[in-house]
Amino acid sequence: EDQVTQSPEALRLQEGESSSLNCSYTVSGLRGLFWYRQDPGKGPEFLFTLYSAGEEKEKERLKATLTKKESFLHITAPKPEDSATYLCAFTNSGYSTLTFGKGTMLLVSP
Amino acid sequence: NAGVTQTPKFQVLKTGQSMTLQCAQDMNHNSMYWYRQDPGMGLRLIYYSASEGTTDKGEVPNGYNVSRLNKREFSLRLESAAPSQTSVYFCASSLDRQQETQYFGPGTRLLVL
């Protein structure tokens, strides 16, 4: 069964302390790997889509990478406004709908 | 552009009552989706509409019905609400099934007593 697991469940960082969030997947024919950000009380906000191993995408302090088994969301020198839950999701080659992981809750303290 | 809008923002129901959650998008997207989000469970797909005139079940369709009213609007109906349907409901849309990036609305918080 296709599935995705995110770790850690929660992460607390000091402002400026870089780290990475992990998304491990088991998918029979990955089509796309997606990252979303969700603030409390709001809907998920699209960040990145990755399609093939070795692909990288960046946006401000965030960089997403993809291997054949995992995706990482690297956060460089985070700020308190980066605090949110980060969700990973995938689609498979059968044009399935998005399947989401349970998310990593990130808290960045000043 | 407002993107994806949902009404109401918050609703309290008694067990057995019915209600319809409304969703509209102004991005000229073909595909629309309904999810529920529960603590510890992540986002789970209830129903989706790949294009106007079609609807399909997702992972957790029991107790729900949907209507794709037109290209812009996709509603979710609870015919007889149960406490297990207490959740946050999100609507999303994408250009089509092949262009899979989905854009989400702000959510409807539903409490069933």
Side-chain angles (χ1 to χ4, degrees), chain A residues 31 36 38 41 91 95 97, chain B residues 37 40 45 97 100 102 109:
Chain A
R31 174 165 169 78
Y36 284 80
Q38 186 174 22
T91 54
Y95 289 98
T97 51
Chain B
Q37 188 173 39
L45 184 66
R97 283 288 302 281
E100 305 128 319
Q102 294 182 21
R109 283 145 189 81

Side-chain angles (χ1 to χ4, degrees), chain A residues 31-32 34 36 38 40-46 49 51 87 91-92 94-102, chain B residues 33 35 37 40-45 48 58-59 88 90 97-107 109:
Chain A
R31 174 165 169 78
F34 299 75
Y36 284 80
Q38 186 174 22
K42 297 192 176 181
E45 174 188 349
F46 172 71
T49 310
Y51 290 105
L87 303 172
T91 54
N92 64 25
Y95 289 98
S96 69
T97 51
L98 278 176
T99 300
F100 281 86
K102 295 180 180 180
Chain B
Y33 312 82
Y35 293 87
Q37 188 173 39
M41 298 295 293
L43 279 158
R44 292 181 292 169
L45 184 66
Y48 67 99
E59 181 184 353
V88 182
F90 290 102
R97 283 288 302 281
Q98 280 67 44
Q99 301 297 321
E100 305 128 319
T101 300
Q102 294 182 21
Y103 298 89
F104 285 77
R109 283 145 189 81

Side-chain angles (χ1 to χ4, degrees), chain B residues 15-34:
Chain B
T15 298
Q17 287 185 318
S18 63
M19 78 163 294
T20 300
L21 283 66
Q22 306 286 355
C23 173
Q25 51 89 13
D26 63 1
M27 296 177 283
N28 201 33
H29 284 174
N30 290 298
S31 300
M32 298 184 73
Y33 312 82
W34 276 106

Side-chain angles (χ1 to χ4, degrees), chain B residues 13 19-21 34-38 44-48 55-67 74-90 110 112:
Chain B
L13 290 179
M19 78 163 294
T20 300
L21 283 66
W34 276 106
Y35 293 87
R36 62 179 288 173
Q37 188 173 39
D38 303 291
R44 292 181 292 169
L45 184 66
I46 305 171
Y47 270 94
Y48 67 99
T55 60
D56 286 286
K57 295 178 180 179
E59 181 184 353
V60 288
N62 290 346
Y64 305 95
N65 287 301
V66 290
S67 295
F74 188 37
S75 64
L76 178 72
R77 182 160 179 85
L78 287 70
E79 290 291 352
S80 179
S84 61
Q85 294 178 304
T86 293
S87 188
V88 182
Y89 292 86
F90 290 102
L110 176 65
V112 183

Side-chain angles (χ1 to χ4, degrees), chain A residues 42-109:
Chain A
K42 297 192 176 181
E45 174 188 349
F46 172 71
L47 292 173
F48 305 109
T49 310
L50 302 167
Y51 290 105
S52 56
E55 189 175 359
E56 299 183 354
K57 289 191 176 174
E58 289 189 63
K59 179 180 179 179
E60 297 180 357
R61 295 176 293 282
L62 301 177
K63 183 169 77 173
T65 62
L66 183 66
T67 72
K68 289 187 178 180
K69 294 183 179 180
E70 300 175 295
S71 179
F72 292 94
L73 186 65
H74 306 278
I75 304 175
T76 302
K79 298 182 177 181
E81 53 262 42
D82 294 321
S83 298
T85 295
Y86 291 86
L87 303 172
C88 166
F90 68 85
T91 54
N92 64 25
S93 56
Y95 289 98
S96 69
T97 51
L98 278 176
T99 300
F100 281 86
K102 295 180 180 180
T104 293
M105 185 183 302
L106 174 66
L107 178 62
V108 182
S109 303

